[in-house]
Amino acid sequence: MTAAEILLVLPFAGLLVQGFRPPGAWAGGACAVWAAAWAARRRLDWRPLAVWLPWLAWAALAALLSGQPFKSLPALSRWAAGLAFLAMAPQLWEQQHRRWWLRALLVAGPLLAAAALFTGLNHFAQWGAGTGFTGLLPPYYNYTAFVEAAAFAAAAAALGRAGESGAPRRSWLWGVLIACATMLVLSRARAALLAALCGAAAAAWRQRRGRQLAAAVAVLVLAAAAVTAVAAARSGAGPGYLLKLELSSGFKRPALWSAAVRAVAQRPWLGEGPGQFEKGLRRQLFEAGIGPARYGHSSEHAHSEPVEIAVETGLAGLLLFAAALALTLGRPAVSLEGEAALAAAVAMAAHCLVDNMLHIPSLALLLFSALACARPREARPGA
């Protein structure tokens, strides 16, 4: 197995082992990343990684001065392996690898949707809150929805170029759209639904074709209407069923984000340290009189990647991260695979604005692999 094939398999293999969420599973995944780097060392140019070094160095400094530096080691090591993946993949993947990547994503979306339907049958029968639709990525349904949104956006982008040589069949693309849209609606994944539309809209805007966006919107609307109608018939749910208005919580995301902003204001430069978001949050909750011991009023994550990065590495860390991400993407490729990968990356990035996905290693690698496929092929130095 070549280094390029190892990198190609990793994001999707991780989906079969809970997204590499268990530490033992991710230990194997991280070792595979570094093994690929060692195997391909004579063919790699590490200069693309240089744009990320300022942020990594800043994050390491934030960890060192956090008071609990060893607590940041898992997060730092996860980021280091993921960014090494992002630096290697565009150099090692030929066009055929990118084509395989797109097909693997178009298989992974419906596959995870089927697994989610299987685990959520009980919730489906009772029309509950949808939290049982976890599939292969427990314990939360939004991890599965993240992959489904990416597959939906990629299918919508590929649909606009379905007549080209080597493009997936239209019937396959329609099947992916319907399967992913149905499960996004059934699980009431609001953020993922909007993310899927963002990805489809980005593809339509780049291709100057509105038909695939109209098709994607039509699929989502029909699925939403069908599910809402059945829910209303079975349980008396109103038109706001998909908005989950019946779920009451004393600690919703606006309150969480407000506490996170106050934590940033207290440590605006270096933050709390990578992987230590909850420390800053609990301090804010304690000062607000809520109390840090109540489980329902605490969270390990900010439910927003930018907010969490700001809390953990400060505003300077957030700016360095955003700059590195923009420089990494550069000018996107114009191939079919590049367009589909860019649409998937837009969907995943939009989802990350209102949820935390990148602490699941396989989901982070899936985003990084989409960014790698969205870039033009890079010239590699000789052996």
Side-chain angles (χ1 to χ4, degrees):
M1 198 175 198
T2 65
E5 291 169 346
I6 292 174
L7 297 181
L8 183 63
V9 167
L10 267 179
F12 302 102
L15 299 178
L16 303 177
V17 286
Q18 300 184 28
F20 287 136
R21 184 186 181 97
W26 172 233
C31 287
V33 172
W34 296 114
W38 176 259
R41 64 192 183 281
R42 296 181 182 273
R43 302 166 56 196
L44 291 173
D45 179 2
W46 289 104
R47 283 177 294 182
L49 189 60
V51 297
W52 286 98
L53 292 181
W55 181 76
L56 278 175
W58 189 265
L61 180 63
L64 184 64
L65 300 180
S66 68
Q68 295 178 292
F70 289 109
K71 193 172 182 179
S72 293
L73 284 180
L76 286 173
S77 63
R78 185 177 67 247
W79 279 112
L83 296 177
F85 177 102
L86 181 57
M88 290 188 288
Q91 301 179 64
L92 298 179
W93 284 351
E94 306 290 347
Q95 189 61 28
Q96 186 62 32
H97 294 112
R98 296 162 190 255
R99 188 167 297 169
W100 289 343
W101 178 89
L102 174 57
R103 281 157 174 72
L105 179 61
L106 295 178
V107 169
L111 178 64
L112 265 65
L117 180 61
F118 178 79
T119 60
L121 282 177
N122 185 40
H123 287 270
F124 178 75
Q126 300 178 9
W127 293 105
T131 53
F133 295 102
T134 56
L136 300 176
L137 298 172
Y140 305 116
Y141 66 90
N142 51 355
Y143 299 150
T144 296
F146 182 78
V147 182
E148 292 166 349
F152 182 95
L159 192 64
R161 303 180 62 166
E164 298 183 10
S165 176
R169 294 183 178 182
R170 290 181 183 272
S171 57
W172 183 10
L173 296 175
W174 277 108
V176 173
L177 286 174
I178 293 170
C180 292
T182 300
M183 283 312 304
L184 288 174
V185 172
L186 281 176
S187 58
R188 298 197 289 177
R190 298 166 296 180
L193 282 166
L194 293 176
L197 282 178
C198 287
W205 179 77
R206 280 183 56 81
Q207 298 176 22
R208 299 295 189 269
R209 295 179 181 179
R211 288 186 177 181
Q212 76 235 44
L213 178 59
V217 172
V219 169
L220 283 177
V221 169
L222 289 174
V227 169
T228 302
V230 175
R234 292 180 62 91
S235 60
Y241 174 75
L242 290 179
L243 298 178
K244 297 191 283 191
L245 299 178
E246 81 283 1
L247 298 180
S248 60
S249 173
F251 197 59
K252 295 182 179 180
R253 290 180 188 180
L256 179 60
W257 294 335
S258 176
V261 168
R262 294 195 299 272
V264 172
Q266 284 192 340
R267 296 179 62 90
W269 297 109
L270 289 171
E272 303 292 339
Q276 301 189 53
F277 169 81
E278 192 172 22
K279 181 177 68 174
L281 176 66
R282 285 182 177 272
R283 186 175 63 250
Q284 290 301 319
L285 298 179
F286 185 81
E287 293 176 357
I290 296 177
R294 295 180 60 186
Y295 175 80
H297 292 269
S298 186
S299 173
E300 293 181 357
H301 300 287
H303 288 282
S304 170
E305 294 291 349
V307 172
E308 183 159 314
I309 291 172
V311 172
E312 294 186 350
T313 63
L315 294 176
L318 178 60
L319 291 176
L320 290 172
F321 186 94
L325 186 62
L327 291 172
T328 295
L329 182 58
R331 181 176 296 177
V334 294
S335 64
L336 183 150
E337 292 79 13
E339 294 285 353
L342 181 61
V346 169
M348 289 186 276
H351 198 171
C352 285
L353 293 177
V354 292
D355 224 331
N356 284 101
M357 296 290 140
L358 302 187
H359 70 284
I360 304 296
S362 185
L363 301 185
L365 293 183
L366 188 65
L367 173 59
F368 293 155
S369 64
L371 292 174
C373 284
R375 297 182 62 180
R377 292 174 59 189
E378 296 182 1
R380 297 172 305 182

